[in-house]
Amino acid sequence: MNLDEFFKKSWKDYVEITPSAKRIVALLEKEGEVIINDHIALRTFSHSKVKMDLFSDYFISKGYLKKDHYFFPETKLNAFHFEHKEGPERPKIFISELDLGAFDSNFQTLILRLMEKVPSHKTFEDLYELGNPWLGVLSFKDYEFLREKSEYAAWLAGMGIRANHFTISLNNFKKYNTIQKMNDFLKFHHFSLNTVGGEIKGTPGVFLEQSSLMADRMKTTFSDGEFEVSTCYYEFALRYKCEDGKYFQGFVANSAGNIFESTYSKG
Ligand code: NI
């Protein structure tokens, strides 16, 4: 799977369960904007069969460079971002990993039961082709159990290994070239923004401003029936130039922490 195939598959899988993203692209294109991705985000567990290192190996083999590390103590997540060596023409990749060791034995036992469904010694490409290996194994009761301890774990078990969100870069936009203008446009079209930590995350002072929508919700298959859960969400980013005159390419942990809450369901 080359990078173009990876991005194509990621987008196809994403819009299938995130119809709002498709609508937003259509609305923006109608306004004459050209969609460029700032980054896409992937989620995984710190289990040997699916660990972040497998993801890293793939992206590094495709010309990406492993950049900064981020730690989210409250949600027990580690993350890295990757930049392509040819520059920001290729979207950045943000990969986070849930630290299973930070959870109790009941939680770990459930995750290990899910991991039995993942074949051993697979590469990231194999895992990405699998779709959701936990489909039909995970019950809605399991999902709710996970959700109590970690919304991230519940999302990942329910959705499988796929892009959690795509992020539109506002830097190249003509009309909606600030987060405020983009947010107003989204609200005008009745999309609901993630308001955790404010509608705009970050400031020009930290060289990155972001906003995100709340995740779409969709009926999903569990071993005990179909239940409506949070799927994926769209994100928007505006980058500022650092003192060296180059656009900041990293991420701001506090903003990313608030954006993780986009898949928290209200109900
Ligand atoms: Ni993001």
Side-chain angles (χ1 to χ4, degrees):
M1 182 169 58
N2 64 33
L3 280 180
D4 289 333
E5 288 161 347
F6 164 76
F7 285 114
K8 207 173 151 192
K9 173 175 169 50
S10 301
W11 178 255
K12 185 178 161 278
D13 291 350
Y14 169 75
V15 291
E16 228 163 65
I17 60 167
T18 321
S20 65
K22 217 172 180 172
R23 269 188 65 213
I24 289 165
V25 168
L27 287 167
L28 287 168
E29 285 179 344
K30 214 171 122 194
E31 300 273 340
E33 302 288 19
V34 176
I35 311 291
I36 289 176
N37 292 312
D38 178 87
H39 66 273
I40 81 168
L42 302 165
R43 294 179 167 188
T44 198
F45 294 118
S46 67
H47 183 279
S48 59
K49 285 181 173 176
V50 297
K51 63 186 176 183
M52 182 155 58
D53 286 350
L54 297 171
F55 291 50
S56 300
D57 290 347
Y58 169 76
F59 289 104
I60 290 168
S61 78
K62 301 296 176 200
Y64 274 90
L65 306 168
K66 193 175 188 177
K67 305 295 271 195
D68 304 337
H69 172 247
Y70 309 87
F71 175 54
F72 304 93
E74 278 178 32
T75 41
K76 303 172 176 75
L77 295 167
N78 282 290
F80 280 94
H81 93 263
F82 294 74
E83 293 172 28
H84 201 275
K85 59 186 174 195
E86 283 162 17
E89 286 74 41
R90 288 284 191 195
K92 287 170 278 296
I93 310 287
F94 186 89
I95 308 172
S96 57
E97 180 186 78
L98 188 72
D99 178 11
L100 295 175
F103 290 87
D104 65 26
S105 62
N106 286 340
F107 184 97
Q108 291 184 9
T109 304
L110 172 47
I111 300 294
L112 287 177
R113 182 156 65 75
L114 299 180
M115 289 307 150
E116 283 170 17
K117 296 292 159 191
V118 181
S120 298
H121 310 298
K122 292 294 175 195
T123 64
F124 169 75
E125 289 173 78
D126 300 328
L127 296 171
Y128 218 58
E129 288 298 332
L130 276 182
N132 187 349
W134 308 303
L135 207 66
V137 186
L138 184 79
S139 68
F140 189 63
K141 209 175 139 212
D142 295 333
Y143 178 89
E144 292 280 83
F145 170 82
L146 291 175
R147 204 160 75 95
E148 264 178 42
K149 316 257 165 125
S150 163
E151 192 279 338
Y152 180 106
W155 184 89
L156 183 53
M159 295 295 126
I161 295 168
R162 56 161 65 241
N164 167 262
H165 62 267
F166 273 70
T167 304
I168 295 183
S169 165
L170 303 189
N171 283 78
N172 310 289
F173 275 9
K174 291 184 175 70
K175 227 165 151 180
Y176 302 101
N177 54 3
T178 68
I179 294 283
Q180 189 62 60
K181 284 184 204 166
M182 188 68 217
N183 285 353
D184 290 343
F185 178 75
L186 293 165
K187 284 193 271 188
F188 176 78
H189 289 285
H190 309 291
F191 290 102
S192 54
L193 289 163
N194 168 342
T195 58
V196 180
E199 286 180 357
I200 301 178
K201 281 88 164 127
T203 61
V206 296
F207 309 113
L208 174 63
E209 289 181 304
Q210 289 163 275
S211 70
S212 67
L213 293 175
M214 292 307 291
D216 282 355
R217 291 179 63 77
M218 199 171 261
K219 274 205 171 150
T220 303
T221 307
F222 291 88
S223 64
D224 47 356
E226 288 210 328
F227 297 87
E228 192 184 274
V229 295
S230 291
T231 58
C232 301
Y233 58 92
Y234 225 163
E235 186 181 304
F236 309 89
L238 182 68
R239 293 183 178 275
Y240 291 85
K241 282 181 180 165
C242 303
E243 288 84 355
D244 62 5
K246 289 180 186 154
Y247 282 103
F248 175 65
Q249 296 297 330
F251 291 83
V252 179
N254 189 36
S255 303
N258 289 330
I259 286 171
F260 277 122
E261 301 203 19
S262 300
T263 50
Y264 283 40
S265 67
K266 290 163 244 171

